[in-house]
Amino acid sequence: MLTALTVIPLRTVGLILGKLAIASLGACLLYILLFYGLRSIFRKFESDIALVTLNVSAYPILTIFILVSLKVAFADLDAGDTPSWFERLLTAIIIVAVSYWLIQLFIQVFIYYLKDYARQTEAMWDNVLFPLLEGVVPFVIFILGSVFVMQSFGVDLTGIWVTLGGATFIIWFAVKDILANFFSRVSSEIYQEVMAHIKDAYPKVKP
């Protein structure tokens, strides 16, 4: 790696340092925006969903921004100036960071507020839907993230995609009855709520 770095042209080094300086300034501005600007604004909202989303997303967004900035900065290097594993490593870390962010958003924001909505509406979803979502969706994100990480290192994924297709079919076959029961219950609850609102809005007129 040291040998490769010694042959980098000075113009390329200047471009990289300039991009790194711009990225550092952008990271500082983004930090101020995420941890001070948006937070002070979201605290004024009646609902705390925006603030919770910001708390979950702040560090992942900042990390992804820094990693992407590094990848863009070193993109000016020729193929022989930098080892290919460095760019692949950055790509893999970005994929891991995005996967982690999506999982945390799903668990700490989406599932949490869906459960809260179910409690408020007294909907009977938690016995079927929530365990299914909490178990399946993070696992799917993890598997997809792992596949893309391996792809970033040049691993042939033909067999893996075939395996994932078969596993998807097996999972669907295993949960189709659960999903059918869930959607049947949801449609029944929606129908009952709609009919209750109609009866309240248009009460029968007694003769």
Side-chain angles (χ1 to χ4, degrees):
M1 182 175 179
L2 292 176
T3 304
L5 290 176
T6 57
V7 298
I8 300 176
L10 291 178
R11 180 177 179 274
T12 303
V13 174
L15 289 175
I16 293 175
L17 292 177
K19 288 186 177 182
L20 290 177
I22 295 174
S24 300
L25 178 60
C28 293
L29 294 176
L30 182 61
Y31 181 88
I32 295 173
L33 176 65
L34 293 174
F35 290 92
Y36 295 97
L38 292 179
R39 184 162 296 183
S40 62
I41 295 174
F42 290 165
R43 283 174 178 170
K44 299 177 182 178
F45 291 179
E46 294 183 2
S47 175
D48 60 345
I49 185 170
L51 187 59
V52 173
T53 303
L54 179 63
N55 291 335
V56 172
S57 303
Y59 282 110
I61 289 176
L62 190 60
T63 302
I64 294 169
F65 177 83
I66 294 173
L67 292 172
V68 172
S69 299
L70 288 174
K71 188 174 177 62
V72 171
F74 287 100
D76 287 325
L77 292 173
D78 296 330
D81 293 337
T82 182
S84 59
W85 62 265
F86 183 70
E87 292 185 359
R88 292 178 178 179
L89 180 62
L90 283 177
T91 302
I93 296 175
I94 291 172
I95 294 172
V96 171
V98 172
S99 301
Y100 172 81
W101 180 29
L102 292 177
I103 291 175
Q104 295 303 312
L105 274 179
F106 181 80
I107 294 176
Q108 299 190 35
V109 179
F110 181 78
I111 290 294
Y112 176 80
Y113 284 98
L114 191 61
K115 287 182 178 180
D116 185 63
Y117 174 78
R119 284 193 297 267
Q120 292 178 2
T121 59
E122 298 181 354
M124 303 299 294
W125 299 354
D126 51 341
N127 294 330
V128 178
L129 178 63
F130 298 146
L132 180 64
L133 291 178
E134 288 178 326
V136 172
V137 174
F139 178 74
V140 170
I141 296 175
F142 172 79
I143 292 297
L144 290 177
S146 301
V147 169
F148 287 124
V149 166
M150 289 186 290
Q151 187 177 18
S152 68
F153 285 105
V155 179
D156 185 10
L157 301 178
T158 304
I160 295 179
W161 285 118
V162 173
T163 303
L164 287 177
T168 302
F169 175 78
I170 294 174
I171 293 174
W172 166 252
F173 185 79
V175 303
K176 65 176 183 178
D177 292 335
I178 298 177
L179 291 176
N181 293 333
F182 164 71
F183 286 114
S184 176
R185 293 172 62 178
V186 169
S187 60
S188 176
E189 290 183 3
I190 292 176
Y191 173 79
Q192 293 177 2
E193 290 183 4
V194 170
M195 293 303 298
H197 285 297
I198 292 176
K199 290 181 180 179
D200 293 338
Y202 303 99
K204 292 183 179 180
V205 179
K206 295 183 180 180

